[in-house]
């Protein structure tokens, strides 16, 4: 469904008065595919290029070379009309739930935004859809007219998920959606994501540095190190990885867990 | 009863804010109701009563042409305030358009617009206004246009900075992914989030614009006599500084009060909104220093 093909991205600076500085490579020759109804986990340390990859897949940042195809449509080389159609099937949940919502909007407005952009609904229909979405992610209708500031991180991240699934997308990019939450809420949200995947046939691209969460949600895992995919494998074979970098990343967390209680 | 208690609580929590609000409303109301409360016609010349001290008929005395000083002061409030409001509103509209445009598009367009703004800001604004008026001739319309041109640049830079800041927020990216069009992005996400800091800046800025208007009118480039305006009144009274300082002191005190109150209000507001540390920084960036 999603095919990432030899994507390379370099970062350099350019302005009117400065010559381009030698570019730093953020991603080099990244390729993978996400099948319908499955979850692909991208595991990597900070600075490995995870977020850059997320942006490229979301159509926000053109890669220097390579292509991203979603349902056979190239995200960067097709016309506007086709891209607009693709848009609604590709949604996102960001890491920081508080900065991912406009602080001056209510929960109802936040979730209604994608609906209003793509569909013509009466106020009645819109309300019932939003309430339904809130219930799907485990929130009650009483939160409808709350402000983001009045909600906890976990609640707000659920609102973000509700916004992402509002248009019944086919793929959701989860850009470290759990890192700003505490353990218990992380578990609950993971469970919701798992349920949604099964009930709606969603696919995920789960970008994270949390080995356990990736293991829990993903079907396949790719390990990203210094902009390159060093190894990719089935999630249940994760701990038998062979590449030194992926061993380091995966076992570091494992060690940390063993040191704990 | 509950309502009254709540108002009381609000006032005790925000003393400076409420005092400033009350004083400003008094000044604005006295300007609005000038035709009702002014004891005399502000432009009625009566040489028999010139340069008289305060009396029952003329509560603040009369000027060199026998016109009632209090009435002129009240009508002057109207002129000063409405001109200041007109200028600030126009600047806000022009500045928002240019600032949003440059800040949102970014890149070379932004660079070009901002270098033009830098060039204009390099000249002290009052001197630039004076030279523009020198080209077009004196009068309140020319003064308003000159001040609008000069001040809009400042607003444009300020708003451009804010827009750039907001544009980097994740919620803008999220909205784009949700399929929001650029126009809706502007009206629903960017402009609403501009308003709180802008409101405070406008409060501070109105005070400075009143100063500018008075300064230009004082040197005879702005509001022309016989229209009553604070700066013009000081100008008319300056020949009588030794014998009748009252003619200069009364409008001077009025300008001082108005500007001081607006500044206090702006500062109290920015403190309440938690912007007191950010605003000077943004303003400095906008001035390009």
């Amino acid at each position: 469904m999603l095919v990432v093909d030899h994507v390379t991205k370099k970062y350099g600076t350019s302005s009117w008065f400065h010559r381009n500085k030698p570019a730093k490579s953020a991603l080099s020759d990244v390729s993978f595919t996400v099948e319908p109804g499955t979850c692909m986990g991208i595991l990597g340390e900070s600075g490995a290029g995870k977020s850059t990859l997320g942006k490229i897949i979301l159509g926000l940042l053109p890669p220097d070379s390579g292509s991203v195809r979603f349902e056979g449509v190239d995200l960067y080389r097709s016309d506007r009309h086709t891209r607009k159609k693709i848009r609604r099937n590709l949604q996102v949940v960001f890491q920081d739930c508080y900065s991912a919502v406009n602080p001056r909007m209510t929960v109802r407005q936040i979730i209604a935004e994608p609906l209003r952009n793509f569909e013509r609904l009466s106020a009645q229909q819109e309300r019932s859809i939003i309430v339904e979405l809130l219930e799907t992610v485990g929130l009650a209708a009483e939160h409808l007219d709350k402000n983001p500031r009045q909600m906890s991180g976990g609640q707000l991240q659920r609102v973000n998920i509700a916004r992402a699934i509002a248009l019944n997308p086919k793929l959701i990019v989860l850009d470290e959606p759990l890192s700003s939450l505490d353990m218990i809420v992380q578990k609950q949200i993971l469970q919701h994501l798992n349920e949604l995947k099964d009930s709606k046939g969603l696919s995920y691209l789960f970008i994270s540095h949390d080995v356990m969460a990736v293991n829990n949600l993903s079907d396949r895992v790719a390990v990203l190190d210094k902009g390159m995919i060093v190894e990719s494998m089935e999630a249940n074979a994760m701990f038998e990885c062979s590449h030194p970098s992926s061993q380091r990343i995966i076992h570091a967390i494992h060690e940390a867990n063993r040191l704990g209680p | 009863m509950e309502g009254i208690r709540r108002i009381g609580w609000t006032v005790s929590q925000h003393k400076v804010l409420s005092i400033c609000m009350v004083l400003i409303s008094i000044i604005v109301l006295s300007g609005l109701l000038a035709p009702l409360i002014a004891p005399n016609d502000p432009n009625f010349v009566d040489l028999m009563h010139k340069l008289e001290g305060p009396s029952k008929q003329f509560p603040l005395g009369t000027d060199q042409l026998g016109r009632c000083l209090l009435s002129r002061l009240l009508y002057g409030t109207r002129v000063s305030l409405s001109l200041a409001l007109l200028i600030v509103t126009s600047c806000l509209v022009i500045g928002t358009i240019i600032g949003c445009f440059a800040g949102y598009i970014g890149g070379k367009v932004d660079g070009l617009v901002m270098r033009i703004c830098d060039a204009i800001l390099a000249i002290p604004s009052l001197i630039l206004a004076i030279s523009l008026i020198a080209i077009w001739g004196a009068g309140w319309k020319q003064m308003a246009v000159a001040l609008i041109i000069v001040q809009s640049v400042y607003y444009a830079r300020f708003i451009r900075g804010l827009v750039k800041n907001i544009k980097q927020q994740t919620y803008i990216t999220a909205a784009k992914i949700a399929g929001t069009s650029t126009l809706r992005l502007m009206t629903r996400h960017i402009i609403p989030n501009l308003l709180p800091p802008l409101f405070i800046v406008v409060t501070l800025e109105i005070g400075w614009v009143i100063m500018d208007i008075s300064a230009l009118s004082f040197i005879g480039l702005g509001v022309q006599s016989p229209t009553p305006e604070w700066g013009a009144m000081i100008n008319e009274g300056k020949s009588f500084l030794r014998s009748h300082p009252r003619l200069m002191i009364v409008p001077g005190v009025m300008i001082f009060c108005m500007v001081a109150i607006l500044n206090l209000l702006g500062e109290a507001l920015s403190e309440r909104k938690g912007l007191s540390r950010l605003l000077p920084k943004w303003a400095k960036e906008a001035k390009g220093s």
Side-chain angles (χ1 to χ4, degrees):
Chain A
M1 184 172 57
L2 178 81
V3 182
V4 178
D5 196 16
H6 298 289
V7 163
T8 301
K9 179 76 194 171
K10 288 187 169 71
Y11 276 123
T13 47
S14 79
S15 76
W16 281 22
F17 302 111
H18 301 284
R19 193 97 49 86
N20 287 10
K21 281 183 189 156
K24 221 183 86 191
S25 178
L27 287 177
S28 46
D29 202 20
V30 171
S31 309
F32 60 86
T33 53
V34 181
E35 303 297 332
T38 63
C39 172
M40 177 78 176
I42 304 281
L43 200 56
E45 295 167 306
S46 6
K50 286 175 302 185
S51 298
T52 311
L53 184 61
K55 276 186 195 159
I56 290 175
I57 290 165
L58 287 166
L60 298 167
L61 190 72
D64 293 334
S65 66
S67 66
V68 182
R69 286 194 304 279
F70 183 68
E71 298 191 301
V73 180
D74 192 311
L75 283 183
Y76 294 97
R77 287 188 199 86
S78 46
D79 58 293
R80 246 178 136 179
H81 189 70
T82 329
R83 264 188 300 179
K84 170 121 185 166
K85 263 195 214 153
I86 290 297
R87 183 78 294 158
R88 64 174 298 171
N89 287 327
L90 191 54
Q91 294 295 318
V92 68
V93 178
F94 284 109
Q95 172 178 11
D96 183 355
C97 51
Y98 285 98
S99 69
V101 294
N102 187 337
R104 299 176 69 83
M105 283 187 164
T106 62
V107 169
R108 182 206 297 258
Q109 288 170 316
I110 291 166
I111 301 178
E113 192 176 12
L115 292 171
R116 284 185 190 163
N117 287 334
F118 285 98
E119 274 161 49
R120 298 253 160 272
L121 296 171
S122 68
Q124 204 69 42
Q125 280 173 314
E126 189 185 279
R127 200 196 125 92
S128 68
I129 289 180
I130 294 172
V131 171
E132 203 180 302
L133 284 168
L134 281 179
E135 277 163 8
T136 330
V137 295
L139 285 177
E142 62 182 35
H143 295 292
L144 264 184
D145 292 308
K146 276 195 181 167
N147 269 331
R149 280 171 223 276
Q150 292 168 292
M151 305 186 82
S152 71
Q155 289 172 326
L156 204 54
Q157 198 59 298
R158 287 164 202 261
V159 172
N160 276 319
I161 295 172
R163 171 172 65 180
I165 61 173
L167 291 168
N168 284 321
K170 300 214 170 90
L171 177 74
I172 299 183
V173 174
L174 303 166
D175 189 355
E176 308 223 17
L178 307 172
S179 349
S180 58
L181 308 172
D182 62 62
M183 289 299 283
I184 298 164
V185 182
Q186 279 190 12
K187 280 233 171 74
Q188 291 168 345
I189 297 224
L190 261 181
Q191 204 179 342
H192 272 295
L193 288 171
N194 259 325
E195 281 168 19
L196 280 172
K197 187 173 112 183
D198 296 337
S199 62
K200 301 207 172 197
L202 280 170
S203 309
Y204 296 131
L205 184 78
F206 186 30
I207 300 173
S208 180
H209 59 255
D210 184 343
V211 176
M212 295 324 281
V214 169
N215 188 31
N216 182 309
L217 191 61
S218 307
D219 300 300
R220 279 191 72 78
V221 181
V223 180
L224 195 66
D225 187 45
K226 300 198 181 81
M228 279 178 285
I229 289 192
V230 293
E231 193 171 4
S232 78
M233 59 234 150
E234 296 293 321
N236 38 25
M238 224 168 106
F239 295 103
E240 284 96 58
C241 52
S242 59
H243 195 280
S245 303
S246 42
Q247 273 181 347
R248 194 184 71 235
I249 294 165
I250 290 169
H251 290 297
I253 313 287
H254 219 49
E255 291 293 312
N257 279 357
R258 214 180 310 156
L259 286 177
Chain B
M1 207 52 215
E2 181 62 25
I4 295 170
R5 203 177 298 158
R6 269 189 67 177
I7 292 171
W9 184 83
T10 318
V11 167
S12 67
Q13 285 296 302
H14 311 287
K15 287 197 188 85
V16 181
L17 213 64
S18 13
I19 293 171
C20 289
M21 284 295 212
V22 169
L23 288 176
I24 283 184
S25 351
I26 291 174
I27 296 179
V28 170
L29 273 181
S30 69
L32 282 177
L33 301 176
L36 295 176
I37 53 174
N40 301 292
D41 180 353
N43 287 326
F44 181 70
V45 177
D46 181 7
L47 291 174
M48 297 291 285
H49 294 286
K50 70 172 181 179
L51 296 172
E52 267 180 15
S55 62
K56 224 173 199 167
Q57 200 193 344
F58 305 110
L60 286 173
T62 59
D63 66 0
Q64 72 281 6
L65 294 174
R67 296 174 294 193
C68 172
L69 204 56
L70 178 65
S71 311
R72 286 183 72 71
L73 207 62
L74 290 173
Y75 276 90
T77 312
R78 284 185 132 189
V79 176
S80 290
L81 280 184
S82 50
L83 260 179
L85 266 182
L86 171 78
I87 291 169
V88 169
T89 326
S90 319
C91 287
L92 212 56
V93 173
I94 299 172
T96 309
I97 293 171
I98 299 177
C100 284
F101 179 72
Y104 189 79
I105 295 177
K108 295 208 165 145
V109 178
D110 178 39
L112 187 68
V113 175
M114 283 307 118
R115 291 302 84 73
I116 296 173
C117 289
D118 283 348
I120 299 176
L121 280 170
I123 312 164
S125 64
L126 207 55
I127 292 180
L128 188 60
I130 290 172
S131 28
L132 285 175
I133 297 169
I135 299 168
W136 297 327
W140 70 266
K141 280 180 205 150
Q142 288 88 325
M143 175 186 67
V145 174
L147 281 178
I148 288 170
I149 292 174
V150 170
Q151 298 273 331
S152 303
V153 179
Y154 170 73
Y155 279 83
R157 263 208 89 122
F158 184 76
I159 291 168
R160 173 253 184 192
L162 291 177
V163 170
K164 279 202 96 122
N165 206 338
I166 294 171
K167 212 190 126 191
Q168 285 168 354
Q169 303 287 325
T170 320
Y171 62 81
I172 299 292
T173 317
K176 272 189 206 159
I177 291 169
T180 309
S181 63
T182 310
L183 192 68
R184 264 207 195 163
L185 212 59
M186 281 284 170
T187 53
R188 304 217 25 157
H189 292 278
I190 294 181
I191 293 178
N193 281 295
L194 281 178
L195 293 178
L198 265 191
F199 181 70
I200 294 161
V201 170
V202 163
T203 327
L204 291 165
E205 206 60 22
I206 287 180
W208 289 111
V209 168
I210 290 178
M211 287 276 275
D212 285 349
I213 295 171
S214 302
L216 287 171
S217 301
F218 174 73
I219 52 179
L221 296 176
V223 179
Q224 299 295 305
S225 114
T227 314
E229 198 278 337
W230 300 336
M233 284 168 73
I234 298 183
N235 182 30
E236 283 165 22
K238 72 174 184 292
S239 2
F240 304 91
L241 176 61
R242 275 159 181 270
S243 52
H244 302 277
R246 171 174 47 87
L247 293 185
M248 283 186 80
I249 290 170
V250 172
V253 166
M254 204 63 196
I255 295 173
F256 167 76
C257 288
M258 194 68 209
V259 176
I261 293 168
L262 282 169
N263 267 303
L264 279 174
L265 181 70
E267 252 158 55
L269 276 176
S270 63
E271 214 159 277
R272 211 188 68 132
K273 293 257 177 196
L275 293 166
S276 50
R277 260 184 306 152
L278 288 173
L279 270 180
K281 206 183 100 200
W282 290 339
K284 213 174 146 194
E285 276 169 14
K287 285 246 156 100
S289 53

